[in-house]
Amino acid sequence: QVQLVESGGGLVQPGGSLRLSCAVSGATLDHVVIGWFRQGPGKEYEGVSCISTSGRIFYADSVKGRSRLSRDNNNNTVLLQLNSLQPEDTGVYYCAAGDYYSDYGVPPGVFHSWGQGTQVTVSS
């Protein structure tokens, strides 16, 4: 079974940055697609970013230009750097593993394993 452990969330002021980590076990990153999602209060799940088994990366418009997804293959970990954070970025961030990658979005239904989530709060 694929297991994912997230870390790196916290409280930051507007304009601040966070680096979220997703440690993956049960599969290597060249065999599983990793996606990041978030859900703010009263909002639906939003696909934030995704990386394919070959390293292709998708960013949602809401974070494009101020985020960077990367992977540490030696540690089997996917990192999501978030910069210029704003209050609307507040929410629980989840990473998930699946079998399908798209250049056009990150649909939650194609991901079969999920982490526990990490809280990101952006507030002055």
Side-chain angles (χ1 to χ4, degrees):
Q1 293 292 106
V2 179
Q3 295 183 351
L4 308 100
V5 179
E6 301 154 332
S7 61
L11 173 65
V12 297
Q13 295 184 345
S17 299
L18 287 172
R19 188 180 73 170
L20 308 182
S21 297
C22 176
V24 180
S25 61
T28 54
L29 298 181
D30 59 343
H31 286 83
V32 67
V33 175
I34 302 297
W36 280 96
F37 302 83
R38 67 185 181 186
Q39 187 176 38
K43 300 179 180 179
E44 298 180 1
Y45 281 94
E46 177 189 10
V48 176
S49 188
C50 185
I51 186 168
S52 75
T53 56
S54 62
R56 296 187 64 171
I57 297 174
F58 166 84
Y59 298 103
D61 289 341
S62 57
V63 301
K64 189 178 300 182
R66 58 187 184 93
S67 63
R68 182 183 177 185
L69 191 67
S70 62
R71 63 185 183 185
D72 181 349
N73 292 326
N74 290 332
N75 292 292
N76 219 48
T77 298
V78 175
L79 307 172
L80 179 62
Q81 177 73 33
L82 299 171
N83 301 317
S84 301
L85 287 164
Q86 300 174 359
E88 52 263 41
D89 295 312
T90 293
V92 180
Y93 284 67
Y94 302 88
C95 65
D99 298 322
Y100 301 99
Y101 169 84
S102 173
D103 288 324
Y104 304 101
V106 195
V110 304
F111 292 84
H112 52 72
S113 302
W114 292 76
Q116 78 285 358
T118 184
Q119 177 70 43
V120 171
T121 302
V122 186
S123 179
S124 60

